[in-house]
Amino acid sequence: MWTAIVCTCQNRESANSFRKELLIRQQKGLLSSDAVVLAVDDPKPNIGSGSAALNALICVTECLAAREGQKVVTADALYSERILILLLGSTFPFSPCGHAFMPAPKGPQPGEDREGMEVTEVQTNIDKLITILTKFCRNSPPGVWVSSTDMLLEVPDSIESLDLSHLEDAVGALTVAARPEHAMLHGTCKITDTGEFASIVHYGNEEMVKSVTRPDGTCDMLTGIAYLSPRVAEIMLGMHTMPPLDACTYVGLDNGAQPLSLSLFFDILLCLTTEIHEDDYVTGLFKTRDTTSGQLQPDSSQKTVLERARALLWKVLKGNKLKAVHLTGVEHKYLRHIAADVLARYQGDSESGEARVINSIVSPETKIGKGSVLINCNLPNPIIVGSNCFLSGLTTSFLEQQPSSFMSAPLSIPHNLTVQEIQVSIGRGVTHASLSVVVVYGIYDNLMVPYTSDNATFCNRPWVNFFQQTGIQPAELWLPNTPPGSQTLLSARLFVASYTDRANGEAGGLLETLWLPGSIPKPEDLQRWRSAWRVSLADILRCVDCGAEFTKMRDISFELQRCRMMEALRLSQPVCLLPFFHHARVLQRGSDILRTLDEVVSQVIDQENSQLIICRIYACIADMLAFMADQGGIRGGPAANVAWKTAFDLLEKDHFVAATKALAAERDHWINDGPDRIIRASRHYERAGQILTRKAVATARQFINGTPCTPPAIGEAITVTAPARVDLAGAWTDTPPQAYEWGGVVVTLAITVNNEYPIRSSAKRITELKLVLVTYSRDGSVLQRLECTKLAHLADYSQPHAPGMTLYPSSANSMKS
C-alpha cells in the first residue's frame, strides 16, 4: 500500500530508535515488506510541522530516486507512489516517546476471563493511526500524505476508504465536526459551497468562530491530516532550492542557513485559502504564543525572513486549491498537559471506575484504587496505589535491594497523583549514560500555567502551600533569567537526577520523591534535595532515552505474552501461539521461548493430561524453531537422525522430563549451526510429538474387546471397498500439530467413480508363513508385488518412499501378532 513511510523526529538519537520500532513492525508484517522505512531528524527541535514535512519530503524523494538508480533528485516517484509522512511532533509528558507511542486503552485487566484470549502485543497510537490512514488511502491516487500523530482518532468501521477523485491537482485537508471550543485550539475552518477552504484560523476570536458554527453547535476543524497531489508535492519538493525556504530542510542547513520554522497548515497551506489577501498573508501574525494569554504574538527576530518566506510561498503555491475532505462520524481527541485528561481517555465510557492496567506487570498482592491507570509499569513487589492515580514506566525493582526492616509495609502512593519513571540520556559516545528519573505531580496540575496564576497547583494544591510547608523558595526551582510566564510546573527543577553524596552520583528513586506531594520533609532530606542535581520535567523530556524506553516497554510486553503462553499451555486453552512465536523471532528472543517451553514440561508433568500438553509443547518448539530458521528449508522431511535416538527412546519409556532435557541438549547443538540445521531440528521435534500422539492413540486398545471367531478358510478373500474422497478445504488441519494453533475444520466429499467404489482392498490366508503385498491397477494388472518373509523386511515402514509403504502399518502389526 505505502511505497515509503517516513517519521519526523526532533533529534538523531530518537530518529534511530523510532526507525527501529518501525522496522520491527515491518518484520512482523504490520507494514509492507517492500516499503521504504525512514526516520528523519528535524533541522532543529520544534521546527514546526511545515518545515518537518518539507525536510522529510526531500529525504524520502532522494531515497526513492537512489533506489531506482538515479543520480539526481526527481519528482517521478511522487506521480506513481504513495508516500506517508508521520509528524511525531513535540514531546508529551505522559508518554516519554510522544503521543505516537501511547498504548491504546485496551487489554486484559486484573480478574478478567482470559479463556481463548490471544497472546498479543500492546497496540500504540501510531499503530492505530497507520491502520486508519492505510484504510483511507486504499483507493486514493498516488501522492503524499502528511499526518500529525498528536491527535487520537476514533473512526467507525463503516469508513472503508476515502474518495479523493475530486481533488485532482489540489490539496485535500481532512476535517471533522467539533465543538467550537475544541476547534479553536486546532484550527477552525470556513468551507465554501464548492468544498474549498475560505479560511483557517488558529485561536480565532469568538465572533469568527460563531460565524462558522452550524445549528447543531459544531463547526469544521482540521484533523492534522493532509493529502498532497503529485503536482503540489512536486512544487513543495522544489522549495529545498528556494532560499529562504531551503532553510526548512537539511539542504539549507548544509549550505549554512539558519533553520526556518513553518507550520504546515498555518503557514504553507494557509495561502491556498480563498479569502486571504496577499498583504495580510505575508505580514500576518506569526507562531509565537503568549503563555499567559494564549494569543499569538509577532516574533520580531524572525519577522523579516518569515515575510520573505511567506511571499515566496504565495508566489509558488497560490493558484492551487485547498479542498476539504470531511470525515463523517469520526471523533478527534487531543490530550492536554493535564493527567486527568489521560485518565479520562483510558477510562472511556466506563461507569464502574475500575483501575486500568495497560502493558504492566503487577504483583497479585498490589492494591490499586478505583480510577487509576498503570502503563508500562513493572511492579513485581506489592505496593498500594491510591485512587485516580496515573503511573507510567514505574518499577519497584529497587525495593529488592532494601533491608527488610526498611520496608516494614508496602510502598503506598497517595490518591490523585501522577508518578512516572523516565529514562534520560546523558552525554554522547564514551561518556553516554542512561539514567532513570522519577517525577511526581498531581493529576489536576496544569503543567503550562505559571506558578503565580490563581489556578496554578503542584500536587493538586496551591504552590503557596508547597512553599510554606517545605520552606523551598521559587528561586530554587527557576533560574533568575526565566521569564515569569515560563515559570511553570513543566520548567520547575523539582526532580532529582542524581545525588552528589552517593557513590558515582547514584540516581534518586521513588521513595525519595514521594515527600513532594505533601509530607513535611526531614531537614536532612531537604538538605540532600537542595544539594542534588535537580532537573525539570522539561529538561527530562528534552533528553528522553527513547531506545531505553522502547526496550522497557517491549520487555514488559514480552514477559506478559510469555506468561500468557505458559498459562494457555498449562490449561490447554485454544489459543493460537504462532503470532507470538513470530514476534519472538523478530525480537531475536526465540531461545528464551524455547527454554520457557522446556520449563512448562516440568510444570505439567503431574497433571492428568500431561502427555497431551507435552505433545503440544513439542509442536510449539517445532514451530518456534521453524520461525527461527526463517527460510532454512522445507518444514517436512526425515526425522530419524541417530543423534536424537536417546531422546526418542526416553519418550517411548514415558520418561518425559528426561526426554525433554535430552531433546533440548541436542537442540542446542543444532540451533547455532545455520538455518538448515534449525529446520532439521524442528522436524525431529515434530517426530517427538508424533511419538506421543501414537502413544495416545494406542490407549484406544483398552476400549476394544476382541471376540473369538473361526478364521476364514485358506484362500478365501475378504474384500472391503470404499468411495473416493475429495478434499474441498482444510485437509489435515484436524490433526496435530496443525490443530493446536489453528483448530481443525475439514470439508470433504465421498464420491463413486463410474457408479462404483473405486478403492478396494482384499486379504486372504495362504499356507506359507509370509506376507505377499500386491498392488493392482484399475484394469486388474499387477503394479507391484512384494514378499516379506521376516520382520526385518518391514523395518522401513516409516519411510514415505519405501515400496508398499501405505500397506505397511497394518501388515507390520499382523506380522508381529
Side-chain angles (χ1 to χ4, degrees):
M1 183 64 70
W2 298 109
T3 305
I5 298 178
V6 192
C7 65
T8 67
C9 314
Q10 297 215 20
N11 54 63
R12 170 50 50 189
E13 289 76 15
S14 62
N16 292 333
S17 299
F18 290 141
R19 183 170 186 270
K20 181 179 178 180
E21 288 300 304
L22 291 179
L23 288 175
I24 287 175
R25 285 158 173 78
Q26 187 176 46
Q27 293 172 37
K28 291 171 60 179
L30 302 178
L31 304 177
S32 175
S33 60
D34 57 354
V36 173
V37 175
L38 296 178
V40 178
D41 53 315
D42 297 334
K44 74 168 186 177
N46 301 315
I47 198 168
S49 57
S51 297
L54 290 177
N55 187 57
L57 183 59
I58 176 63
C59 290
V60 69
T61 308
E62 277 188 349
C63 182
L64 293 176
R67 190 172 72 163
E68 296 300 319
Q70 298 173 359
K71 303 300 182 182
V72 294
V73 178
T74 69
D76 295 349
L78 303 179
Y79 288 85
S80 59
E81 313 294 352
R82 293 188 182 95
I83 298 170
L84 174 61
I85 298 176
L86 297 169
L87 307 175
L88 265 59
S90 58
T91 56
F92 186 56
F94 310 106
S95 178
C97 296
H99 285 88
F101 291 95
M102 284 193 72
K106 67 175 185 178
Q109 299 305 306
E112 185 175 351
D113 181 14
R114 296 156 66 89
E115 176 71 25
M117 186 177 295
E118 298 300 317
V119 180
T120 56
E121 191 179 14
V122 64
Q123 186 186 49
T124 62
N125 190 40
I126 197 171
D127 300 319
K128 186 175 181 181
L129 186 58
I130 290 176
T131 300
I132 291 171
L133 294 172
T134 302
K135 180 191 293 187
F136 284 173
C137 86
R138 185 168 295 151
N139 297 319
S140 74
V144 179
W145 289 71
V146 184
S147 175
S148 167
T149 58
D150 289 350
M151 74 295 190
L152 309 171
L153 291 182
E154 298 296 335
V155 180
D157 294 336
S158 58
I159 298 182
E160 289 296 331
S161 62
L162 297 181
D163 182 9
L164 304 182
S165 59
H166 66 291
L167 295 181
E168 299 176 351
D169 290 333
V171 176
L174 277 57
T175 64
V176 295
R179 306 298 299 179
E181 58 272 17
H182 185 56
M184 288 176 62
L185 301 176
H186 305 285
T188 307
C189 314
K190 183 178 180 180
I191 311 298
T192 67
D193 293 339
T194 60
E196 292 186 55
F197 276 76
S199 63
I200 305 173
V201 179
H202 193 209
Y203 285 92
N205 60 59
E206 292 185 8
E207 284 199 13
M208 193 288 297
V209 174
K210 186 176 180 180
S211 68
V212 297
T213 301
R214 290 182 283 263
D216 65 355
T218 65
C219 60
D220 290 311
M221 184 191 77
L222 292 171
T223 61
I225 304 173
Y227 163 77
L228 310 178
S229 65
R231 191 167 71 87
V232 174
E234 183 178 8
I235 295 173
M236 295 177 65
L237 174 64
M239 293 178 184
H240 78 277
T241 64
M242 304 176 187
L245 294 177
D246 65 331
C248 296
T249 71
Y250 83 88
V251 177
L253 266 66
D254 288 355
N255 284 325
Q258 291 298 313
L260 176 63
S261 298
L262 292 178
S263 165
L264 178 62
F265 289 97
F266 306 118
D267 282 317
I268 297 177
L269 299 182
L270 183 63
C271 69
L272 303 183
T273 58
T274 60
E275 291 186 354
I276 196 166
H277 299 288
E278 183 176 1
D279 290 342
D280 295 334
Y281 172 71
V282 173
T283 61
L285 299 179
F286 300 100
K287 306 301 162 295
T288 300
R289 184 183 306 170
D290 183 347
T291 56
T292 57
S293 65
Q295 299 300 312
L296 301 176
Q297 302 294 333
D299 185 346
S300 57
S301 63
Q302 286 198 351
K303 184 173 182 179
T304 301
V305 68
L306 286 170
E307 286 183 354
R308 288 176 53 212
R310 281 193 166 200
L312 185 55
L313 286 168
W314 184 277
K315 178 180 179 180
V316 299
L317 276 180
K318 192 63 179 178
N320 294 286
K321 293 182 178 181
L322 177 61
K323 295 185 177 181
V325 180
H326 189 73
L327 303 176
T328 303
V330 174
E331 186 178 1
H332 177 285
K333 297 179 181 179
Y334 187 88
L335 301 179
R336 299 175 298 166
H337 285 51
I338 300 177
D341 281 11
V342 180
L343 290 178
R345 183 215 179 194
Y346 284 101
Q347 288 298 332
D349 300 327
S350 173
E351 298 179 357
S352 62
E354 295 299 323
R356 299 285 296 171
V357 179
I358 310 294
N359 194 47
S360 296
I361 299 171
V362 179
S363 166
E365 289 85 28
T366 290
K367 298 179 180 179
I368 306 174
K370 284 192 173 184
S372 291
V373 174
L374 280 67
I375 296 177
N376 299 330
C377 293
N378 187 358
L379 305 172
N381 304 97
I383 68 171
I384 299 174
V385 181
S387 60
N388 296 316
C389 288
F390 177 74
L391 273 58
S392 171
L394 195 61
T395 65
T396 57
S397 55
F398 66 92
L399 293 178
E400 298 173 358
Q401 301 162 0
Q402 301 290 349
S404 57
S405 58
F406 183 80
M407 292 297 296
S408 57
L411 178 69
S412 180
I413 297 176
H415 305 302
N416 303 320
L417 284 187
T418 296
V419 185
Q420 298 172 267
E421 187 175 333
I422 302 174
Q423 295 292 130
V424 296
S425 180
I426 304 172
R428 291 186 177 183
V430 295
T431 63
H432 174 265
S434 185
L435 192 65
S436 178
V437 182
V438 177
V439 300
V440 58
Y441 48 94
I443 65 168
Y444 302 112
D445 296 340
N446 190 325
L447 302 175
M448 311 300 291
V449 176
Y451 83 95
T452 53
S453 299
D454 293 338
N455 61 338
T457 59
F458 174 54
C459 292
N460 307 313
R461 56 181 179 149
W463 275 98
V464 63
N465 292 2
F466 172 75
F467 293 136
Q468 290 175 352
Q469 188 167 357
T470 62
I472 295 173
Q473 299 300 313
E476 298 181 80
L477 302 183
W478 295 280
L479 297 175
N481 59 348
T482 305
S486 299
Q487 294 180 1
T488 64
L489 174 54
L490 185 66
S491 62
R493 295 180 297 118
L494 280 161
F495 311 113
V496 174
S498 68
Y499 287 103
T500 57
D501 61 346
R502 292 187 179 181
N504 300 320
E506 184 178 342
L510 177 59
L511 293 175
E512 294 144 320
T513 306
L514 287 180
W515 64 267
L516 290 172
S519 303
I520 299 177
K522 298 177 182 178
E524 58 270 22
D525 292 339
L526 189 58
Q527 178 59 36
R528 291 178 63 250
W529 177 86
R530 285 187 164 121
S531 63
W533 173 32
R534 289 177 284 110
V535 294
S536 68
L537 184 55
D539 296 329
I540 294 170
L541 295 177
R542 280 193 293 268
C543 301
V544 171
D545 188 339
C546 292
E549 285 289 331
F550 285 134
T551 297
K552 176 166 61 174
M553 184 189 313
R554 200 180 302 115
D555 286 347
I556 292 173
S557 175
F558 185 85
E559 179 62 18
L560 289 170
Q561 294 176 79
R562 190 184 71 88
C563 293
R564 178 70 187 105
M565 175 195 72
M566 296 170 67
E567 179 184 57
L569 291 172
R570 287 194 300 262
L571 301 180
S572 298
Q573 293 178 342
V575 176
C576 182
L577 301 175
L578 296 180
F580 178 45
F581 297 155
H582 181 209
H583 175 56
R585 194 269 300 174
V586 170
L587 299 181
Q588 298 182 343
R589 300 286 297 270
S591 295
D592 295 339
I593 297 303
L594 294 176
R595 286 190 291 270
T596 298
L597 292 170
D598 293 338
E599 294 171 4
V600 178
V601 172
S602 299
Q603 296 171 6
V604 303
I605 193 63
D606 294 327
Q607 292 184 202
E608 183 178 355
N609 60 340
S610 61
Q611 187 168 320
L612 297 179
I613 297 176
I614 295 172
C615 186
R616 182 183 181 184
I617 291 172
Y618 289 163
C620 287
I621 294 176
D623 287 330
M624 187 69 254
L625 288 169
F627 277 116
M628 293 170 67
D630 198 6
Q631 300 181 9
I634 302 300
R635 182 71 180 269
N641 191 291
V642 293
W644 299 79
K645 186 177 184 302
T646 299
F648 293 155
D649 290 343
L650 289 169
L651 284 177
E652 295 287 1
K653 298 175 182 177
D654 294 344
H655 299 328
F656 300 134
V657 174
T660 300
K661 292 179 179 179
L663 287 167
E666 191 59 38
R667 178 188 72 211
D668 290 343
H669 295 315
W670 290 51
I671 61 174
N672 296 320
D673 289 341
D676 59 321
R677 294 269 288 181
I678 297 176
I679 200 69
R680 289 166 60 194
S682 173
R683 296 169 186 166
H684 284 81
Y685 267 96
E686 288 194 350
R687 180 178 177 185
Q690 292 166 2
I691 291 174
L692 296 185
T693 299
R694 172 171 53 77
K695 293 172 72 68
V697 172
T699 61
R701 293 172 179 168
Q702 61 184 299
F703 304 105
I704 300 174
N705 297 316
T707 302
C709 62
T710 304
I714 297 295
E716 179 183 348
I718 298 177
T719 302
V720 177
T721 60
R725 187 182 74 184
V726 178
D727 293 328
L728 298 181
W732 291 102
T733 63
D734 57 336
T735 60
Q738 290 84 355
Y740 290 137
E741 308 307 325
W742 298 113
V745 178
V746 180
V747 180
T748 64
L749 286 179
I751 63 173
T752 59
V753 177
N754 297 328
N755 294 322
E756 293 182 355
Y757 289 160
I759 300 173
R760 180 184 299 268
S761 179
S762 297
K764 62 182 178 180
R765 294 174 62 203
I766 58 178
T767 56
E768 298 91 341
L769 184 60
K770 62 181 179 179
L771 289 175
V772 180
L773 307 176
V774 184
T775 305
Y776 296 92
S777 65
R778 286 189 56 79
D779 62 7
S781 60
V782 175
L783 295 176
Q784 187 180 57
R785 179 185 175 90
L786 299 173
E787 291 192 8
C788 303
T789 58
K790 51 187 176 181
L791 287 176
H793 292 162
L794 303 177
D796 61 351
Y797 72 93
S798 61
Q799 300 300 319
H801 303 294
M805 179 267 173
T806 55
L807 299 177
Y808 273 15
S810 59
S811 301
N813 290 334
S814 299
M815 191 75 170
K816 291 176 182 178
S817 61

